[in-house]
């Protein structure tokens, strides 16, 4: 046992830091600090910058454009990106579909899609959830019906994040209603968002911002080449693989570490009615300390998991990381708003600062209330906390 | 002790619940500017129903309702998630009615009751953190001549559409001692600068600057020697009324969530088949009951000796905030994605509770105040 980073790890961290700190444009960093949903332009630009450096998807295998770094190095990289206020890259291509494609995709699909995901040329959205299929994903009602050598898709997707940014959707649909969804009844299809029959309706979330959508699919025609992996009926296997990946990234440790750092700076600037910085108040110090300790534990759980090698995550542990990580994100966002006092009640969401900001309000007020509200979703998306607990009970204990 | 309601109290509650049931549409009302026709007609209805006269003394033509009555009223307002500047208005009437007899006083009370004018409380400042004694806004008076007001107030709730403000300001009293005066300042006079924005719960607010604002001496509603104690009393009342509103909101959120668990199906059965969810709902119920007790306790303390009030009100608010976070946070959680959609009402109970938890005293402020009075 050697519970330290090696000197190579540290040298690696320095190398990454040197690049990243310079590479993030200042205005982009400012917007990231606000904690509002990242704009499409920022996602594209940062993706492009990392792509040119060869670092867009360090977690991918080298032959598909990954970096060949160890899992720990990848973690250090993510930590440095977060520390430099770089946005978290669009999730759906790089984190979800990419791994599906290089694991299960046909050579033609890999050829066609992977490079554009890496470069950020193509944005994807995840068409899984529906009005009657959320936690119970197998209940999707969207159908794909055979038509000649292709299929015709009809249905309605819900909560589709970034559907309004996306060029394409990977869509879970029912291809065979005579068998159980989990036993060959589901298939993932890949298709263009930009075609007649696809209608995207924005849904504002509690933060009054637009990140999720409802997507109506009306007679979308797809060919055999659009079936993920080329074989019908593999949808459940693919979805399970994807959801496993989703949980691990959702611990969000690097981001939370950075957010806590920012929070402490703000706690130093905000004062109570006696003029004492909030950071010096015992109750505030205790709340910050509590979060710091929770986060430290989470970080070491992630490190433990990562140090064990690449790719293979234990499902119950990943679920545990997601539960804790999402609650810490909520705690940080809430404490930040509490530090702001009554200012934390205002809706200030102007990314370019301040058309709606009182002249003497500090710019860190922008986005704070909105983020606190949106973070309620952290225990809902990517599998609710209740569902994660169910996974732990089942997979760790067979219950 | 008797916790049962009088017939009059029952009637008061019913007028609110009937109003809400007769088609009050929260989604249509939130975020609407005060001069929107919907708001204008709603406010007229409130005046006709007598709601705006609740806190005006009987001798001034009002209803002179007790704090308990008004709390019951706000409980129903919370249950219906009614989005309107009711609290500012009813608190303003309490403060204005303390003024010495004058045309300004009479006009203001009549305009408040009649719904012709809205007045908001401009108390908080950048450095005040809910402490009414910490303020940099100043009023100066030369003898009994005009008053000059300078300063800046922040997050004045319902301030964007108000016709006037009750402004707290440092002001020497007649004998030269430092004090806090409360002034009635029209919104549309020279030197008043209003910066409007929205709060998370769909209501409006404003930051307001006063630069050499000239006021007649009659605008001094509460003189410097009494201002602070009036403010402290008003803030305690505000907290108790907000607590009652929060209670109604929590109970509504619980009942909506219970219905959702009954109807929403996942895994081919209703969510109510999952015990983790029904137990969560039970915990929500337990917390709301605790909150209800603390509202009654706070109300009782407000009728008791002065010394006990601050501590008891803070205890009530702490209980309310904690219960509110749990109840309304879990109401969202148990709705899944639906809970996150702004077009669904359930998330707005959470937002309203968050707002209540920062209005006229936040968690830190109440906890500080309570612990300062903690005795061994
Ligand atoms: C902001 C946001 C972004 C999203 N982005 C996407 C996206 O890009 N693509 C996509 O496909 N989906 C997306 N989703 C959908 C998300 O995956 C679902 O909301 C989530 O899986 C929960 O499903 P549901 O909303 O239908 O809630 P439900 O499944 O109806 O759950 C309601 C409540 O019941 C509980 N519950 C359900 N089943 C059980 C059980 N068996 N045991 C115990 N409790 C249970 C849940 O935990 C929850 O508290 C997003 C959601 C949000 C909020």
């Amino acid at each position: 046992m050697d519970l330290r980073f090696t000197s190579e790890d540290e040298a690696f961290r320095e190398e990454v830091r040197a690049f990243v700190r310079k590479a993030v444009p200042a205005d982009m960093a400012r917007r990231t600090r606000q904690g509002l949903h990242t704009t499409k332009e920022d996602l594209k630009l940062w993706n492009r910058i990392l792509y040119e450096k060869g670092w867009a998807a360090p977690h991918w295998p080298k032959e598909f454009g990954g970096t060949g770094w160890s899992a720990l190095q990848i973690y250090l990289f993510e930590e440095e990106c977060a520390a430099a206020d770089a946005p978290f890259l669009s999730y759906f291509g790089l984190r979800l579909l990419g791994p599906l494609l290089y694991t299960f995709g046909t050579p033609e699909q890999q050829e066609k899609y992977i490079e554009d995901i890496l470069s950020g040329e193509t944005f994807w959205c995840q068409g899984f959830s529906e009005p009657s299929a959320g936690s119970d994903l197998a209940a999707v009602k969207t159908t794909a019906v055979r038509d000649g050598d292709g299929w015709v898709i009809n249905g309605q997707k819900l909560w589709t994040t970034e559907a309004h940014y996306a060029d394409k959707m990977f869509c879970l649909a029912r291809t065979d209603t005579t068998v159980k969804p989990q036993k060959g009844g589901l298939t993932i299809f890949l298709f263009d968002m930009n075609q007649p029959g696809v209608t995207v309706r924005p849904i504002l979330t509690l933060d009054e911002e637009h990140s999720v959508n409802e997507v109506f699919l009306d007679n979308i025609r797809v060919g055999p080449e659009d079936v993920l992996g080329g074989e019908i009926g593999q949808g459940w296997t693919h979805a399970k693989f994807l959801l496993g990946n989703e949980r691990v990234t959702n611990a969000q440790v690097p981001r939370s570490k950075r957010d806590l750092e920012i929070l402490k700076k703000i706690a130093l600037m905000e004062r109570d009615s006696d003029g004492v910085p909030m950071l010096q108040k015992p109750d505030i110090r205790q709340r910050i300390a509590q979060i710091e300790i929770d986060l430290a534990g989470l970080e070491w759980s992630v490190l433990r998991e990562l140090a064990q090698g690449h790719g293979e995550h234990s499902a119950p542990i990943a679920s545990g990381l997601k539960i804790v990580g999402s609650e810490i994100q909520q705690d940080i966002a809430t404490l930040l708003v509490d530090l702001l006092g009554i200012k934390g009640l205002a809706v200030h969401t102007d990314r370019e600062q301040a058309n709606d900001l009182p002249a003497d309000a500090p710019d860190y007020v922008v986005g704070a209330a909105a983020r606190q509200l949106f973070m309620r979703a952290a225990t809902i998306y990517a599998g609710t906390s209740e569902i994660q607990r169910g996974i732990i009970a089942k997979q760790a204990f067979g219950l | 002790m008797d916790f049962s309601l009088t017939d009059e109290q029952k009637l008061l509650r019913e007028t609110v619940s009937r109003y809400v049931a007769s088609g009050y549409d929260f989604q249509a009302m939130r975020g609407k500017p005060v001069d929107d026709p919907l708001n204008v007609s709603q406010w007229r209805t409130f005046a006709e129903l007598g709601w705006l006269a609740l806190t005006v003394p009987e001798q001034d033509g009002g209803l002179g309702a007790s704090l308990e009555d008004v709390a019951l009223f706000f409980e129903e307002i919370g249950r219906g998630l009614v989005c309107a500047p009711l609290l500012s208005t009813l608190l303003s009437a309490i403060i204005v009615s303390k003024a010495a007899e004058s045309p300004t006083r009479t006009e203001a009370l009549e305009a408040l009751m009649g719904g012709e004018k809205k007045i908001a409380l401009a108390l908080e400042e950048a450095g005040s953190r809910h402490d009414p004694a910490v303020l940099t806004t100043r009023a100066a008076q030369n003898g009994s001549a005009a008053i000059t007001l300078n300063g800046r107030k922040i997050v004045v709730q319902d301030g964007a559409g108000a016709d006037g403000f009750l402004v707290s300001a440092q002001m020497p009293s007649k004998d030269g001692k430092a004090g806090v005066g409360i002034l009635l300042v029209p919104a549309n006079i020279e030197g008043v600068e209003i910066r409007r924005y929205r709060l998370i719960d769909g209501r409006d607010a404003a930051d307001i600057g006063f630069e050499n604002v000239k006021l007649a001496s009659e605008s001094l509603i509460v003189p410097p020697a009494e201002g602070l104690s009036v403010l402290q009393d008003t803030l305690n009342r505000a907290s108790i009324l907000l607590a009652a509103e929060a209670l109604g909101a929590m109970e509504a959120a619980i009942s909506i969530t219970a219905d959702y668990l009954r109807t929403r199906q996942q895994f081919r059965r209703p969510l109510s088949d999952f015990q983790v969810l029904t137990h969560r709902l039970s915990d929500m119920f337990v917390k709301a009951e605790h909150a209800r007790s603390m509202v009654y306790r706070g109300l009782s303390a407000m009728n008791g000796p002065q010394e006990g009030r601050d501590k008891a009100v803070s205890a009530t608010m702490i209980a309310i905030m904690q219960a509110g976070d749990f109840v309304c946070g879990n109401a969202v959680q148990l709705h899944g994605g639906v809970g996150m959609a702004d077009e669904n009402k359930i998330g707005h109970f959470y937002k309203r509770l968050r707002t209540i938890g920062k209005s006229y005293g936040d968690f830190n402020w109440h906890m500080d105040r309570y612990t300062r009075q903690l005795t061994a």
Side-chain angles (χ1 to χ4, degrees):
Chain A
M1 214 188 242
D2 183 358
L3 301 179
R4 289 169 302 179
F5 287 115
T6 62
S7 53
E8 294 91 78
D9 291 335
E10 295 297 347
F12 172 82
R13 182 198 280 283
E14 288 307 320
E15 180 201 336
V16 170
R17 176 177 299 173
F19 173 77
V20 173
R21 296 261 154 127
K22 271 211 209 85
V24 186
D27 59 330
M28 186 191 282
R30 174 174 56 70
R31 284 188 291 273
T32 308
R33 278 195 298 276
Q34 291 166 348
L36 296 162
H37 304 283
T38 313
T39 63
K40 186 172 182 181
E41 293 69 35
D42 280 351
L43 287 174
K44 272 217 174 302
L45 179 56
W46 183 236
N47 201 331
R48 162 74 37 195
I49 292 169
L50 287 180
Y51 174 70
E52 280 165 7
K53 180 76 179 170
W55 290 359
H59 55 291
W60 289 15
K62 213 161 174 190
E63 64 266 37
F64 292 103
T67 50
W69 296 338
S70 71
L72 273 183
Q73 286 175 322
I74 294 170
Y75 177 76
L76 293 176
F77 167 77
E78 286 170 0
E79 194 167 83
E80 286 306 317
C81 286
D85 297 325
F88 199 84
L89 289 183
S90 185
Y91 199 75
F92 304 97
L94 288 164
R95 296 279 167 172
L96 299 185
L97 182 61
L100 267 179
L101 281 173
Y102 61 66
T103 312
F104 300 106
T106 64
E108 295 75 30
Q109 286 168 344
Q110 293 174 348
E111 178 67 27
K112 187 169 171 192
Y113 296 126
I114 281 197
E115 195 63 21
D116 285 348
I117 291 177
L118 265 184
S119 67
E121 195 51 41
T122 308
F123 277 4
W124 288 80
C125 64
Q126 176 191 14
F128 279 23
S129 304
E130 298 182 3
S132 53
S135 297
D136 182 10
L137 193 55
V140 294
K141 288 200 177 127
T142 294
T143 54
V145 177
R146 257 278 177 219
D147 182 43
D149 70 342
W151 282 265
V152 175
I153 300 176
N154 277 290
Q156 179 189 358
K157 294 295 174 180
L158 194 58
W159 316 123
T160 323
T161 303
E162 291 178 14
H164 54 310
Y165 290 1
D167 308 289
K168 289 176 178 296
M169 173 185 279
F170 54 97
C171 171
L172 188 63
R174 194 76 195 254
T175 32
D176 186 347
T177 47
T178 64
V179 293
K180 282 186 129 187
Q182 297 93 329
K183 298 264 157 59
L186 293 167
T187 303
I188 293 181
F189 293 93
L190 314 171
F191 55 78
D192 265 342
M193 290 294 282
N194 195 357
Q195 61 171 305
V198 178
T199 310
V200 177
R201 184 183 78 90
I203 299 175
L204 298 190
T205 34
L206 296 188
D207 52 348
E208 300 186 31
E209 293 274 288
H210 176 198
S211 67
V212 299
N213 303 273
E214 191 168 17
V215 182
F216 299 92
L217 305 169
D218 184 15
N219 287 320
I220 307 298
R221 283 201 59 88
V222 293
E225 68 283 5
D226 301 320
V227 175
L228 179 64
E231 196 191 327
I232 283 298
Q234 294 301 306
W236 192 246
T237 308
H238 294 163
K240 272 190 3 200
F241 171 86
L242 174 147
L243 297 174
N245 286 334
E246 194 175 11
R247 285 198 295 276
V248 177
T249 36
N250 266 300
Q252 294 281 2
V253 172
R255 172 73 197 262
S256 288
K257 280 177 83 173
R258 176 60 180 151
D259 285 347
L260 191 58
E261 223 172 87
I262 295 174
L263 177 140
K264 286 196 259 183
K265 296 218 167 75
I266 292 174
L268 203 56
M269 289 185 274
E270 286 291 320
R271 287 163 190 277
D272 74 2
S273 57
D274 297 325
V276 178
M278 300 303 271
L279 191 62
Q280 265 146 46
K281 293 174 73 74
D283 48 339
I284 298 290
R285 288 182 83 76
Q286 252 185 44
R287 274 176 81 184
I288 295 177
Q290 183 67 62
I291 296 177
E292 213 167 76
I293 293 163
D294 292 345
L295 186 52
L298 180 66
E299 179 175 35
W300 276 72
S301 297
V302 169
L303 290 174
R304 233 164 21 104
E305 193 59 12
L306 293 177
Q308 282 173 15
H310 207 125
E312 284 306 302
H313 296 292
S314 123
I317 290 186
S319 287
L321 298 180
K322 201 270 174 179
I323 293 175
V324 178
S326 55
E327 288 173 3
I328 289 177
Q329 284 180 280
Q330 292 178 339
D331 289 347
I332 295 175
T334 301
L335 179 51
L336 177 63
V337 172
D338 291 350
L339 287 174
L340 297 179
I342 199 168
K343 297 192 292 294
L345 285 179
V347 182
H348 295 305
T349 51
D350 180 354
R351 288 167 177 72
E352 288 325 306
Q353 262 177 7
N355 289 330
D356 61 350
L357 197 64
D360 52 0
D363 61 0
Y364 53 72
V365 171
V366 177
R371 181 161 169 89
Q372 194 278 334
L373 292 168
F374 187 74
M375 275 300 119
R376 296 315 305 178
T379 48
I380 296 171
Y381 56 55
T384 69
S385 295
E386 289 78 16
I387 292 298
Q388 306 294 353
R389 291 189 177 97
I391 292 171
I392 295 173
K394 191 160 170 200
Q395 308 232 4
F397 304 106
L399 298 173
Chain B
M1 267 193 181
D2 179 8
F3 289 91
S4 61
L5 303 186
T6 64
D7 288 343
E8 275 175 10
Q9 288 171 331
K10 283 187 195 141
L11 198 67
L12 176 61
R13 280 175 50 147
E14 269 163 32
T15 64
V16 185
S17 51
R18 226 180 293 124
Y19 177 79
V20 171
S22 73
Y24 174 76
D25 183 357
F26 167 78
Q27 293 288 6
M29 297 311 288
R30 73 181 165 106
K32 279 249 153 46
V34 249
D35 54 1
D36 184 277
L38 272 178
N39 257 328
V40 173
S41 81
Q42 168 172 282
W43 202 247
R44 201 179 306 123
T45 307
F46 290 177
E48 283 159 10
L49 290 167
W51 296 355
L52 308 182
L54 278 170
T55 54
V56 176
E58 274 171 308
Q59 60 269 31
D60 293 299
L63 298 174
S66 67
L67 191 60
E68 286 89 339
D69 294 347
V70 187
L72 288 168
F73 170 78
F74 272 105
E75 186 185 327
E76 292 313 305
I77 292 294
R79 203 181 305 280
L81 204 59
V82 175
C83 182
L86 282 162
L87 184 63
S88 312
T89 303
L90 298 193
L91 292 175
S92 293
I94 294 179
I95 295 179
V96 172
S97 65
K98 298 196 192 284
E101 281 300 335
S102 79
T104 305
R105 177 187 185 278
T106 313
E107 269 165 38
L109 286 180
E110 269 170 14
L112 280 172
M113 273 190 289
E116 290 110 42
K117 286 220 165 99
K118 297 193 189 67
I119 298 175
L121 302 186
L123 310 179
E124 300 273 358
E125 301 189 2
S128 68
R129 291 257 169 192
H130 307 301
D131 188 337
V134 174
L135 68 180
T136 57
T137 298
R138 279 164 201 282
Q141 186 169 25
N142 266 335
S144 59
I147 299 171
T148 309
L149 181 68
N150 277 292
R152 189 171 171 75
K153 299 288 179 179
I154 66 164
V155 198
V156 174
Q157 296 202 30
D158 306 316
D163 304 281
F165 308 103
L166 284 167
V167 182
S168 59
Q170 283 191 37
M171 198 175 181
S173 56
K174 288 243 157 51
D175 54 9
K177 283 214 197 83
V180 176
I182 306 176
L183 299 127
L184 181 57
V185 183
N188 59 0
I189 62 173
E190 198 167 314
V192 178
E193 187 223 303
I194 304 175
R195 188 164 184 111
R196 301 173 166 87
Y197 46 87
R198 263 175 326 108
L199 300 186
I200 55 169
D201 64 349
R203 291 160 204 240
D204 68 59
D207 289 359
I208 302 167
F210 304 97
E211 206 188 328
N212 289 323
V213 175
K214 299 277 184 252
L215 299 162
S217 60
E218 263 193 27
S219 326
L220 183 60
I221 297 292
V222 181
E226 288 150 42
L228 210 48
S229 62
V230 167
L231 284 177
Q232 271 150 355
D233 179 65
T234 309
L235 294 179
N236 278 339
R237 281 169 203 277
S239 293
I240 285 295
L241 297 177
L242 283 170
E245 183 184 342
L247 179 63
M250 277 187 246
E251 289 183 350
I254 290 172
S255 115
I256 293 171
T257 304
D259 282 343
Y260 195 73
L261 294 188
R262 272 183 218 113
T263 47
R264 168 73 171 168
Q265 299 247 347
Q266 285 287 271
F267 304 98
R268 286 176 312 282
R269 64 198 108 163
L271 290 182
S272 55
D273 274 14
F274 300 110
Q275 202 174 40
V276 65
L277 304 179
T278 53
H279 281 192
R280 190 84 50 84
L281 186 72
S282 306
D283 284 338
M284 290 158 71
F285 169 83
V286 172
K287 303 255 182 203
E289 281 302 309
H290 170 69
R292 174 171 288 284
S293 303
M294 291 302 276
V295 170
Y296 288 152
R297 182 177 183 271
L299 277 169
S300 157
M302 285 301 288
N303 285 329
Q306 181 67 44
E307 316 84 75
R309 293 185 187 173
D310 287 1
K311 190 176 172 199
V313 169
S314 284
T316 298
M317 274 315 274
I318 286 165
I320 284 286
M321 287 181 219
Q322 289 175 332
D325 251 14
F326 184 85
V327 169
C328 295
N330 272 304
V332 171
Q333 180 69 23
L334 298 193
H335 276 75
V338 167
M340 285 304 297
D342 218 33
E343 62 199 18
N344 191 294
K345 192 169 163 187
I346 195 73
H348 293 273
F349 288 102
Y350 180 74
K351 294 201 210 185
R352 182 62 190 144
L353 260 290
R354 290 280 309 161
T355 310
I356 287 176
K358 291 192 179 302
S359 300
Y360 307 108
D362 61 9
F363 187 86
N364 282 313
W365 188 80
H366 283 295
M367 198 47 122
D368 273 355
R369 191 165 81 157
Y370 191 93
T371 48
R372 258 185 276 119
Q373 298 191 29
L374 192 70
T375 47

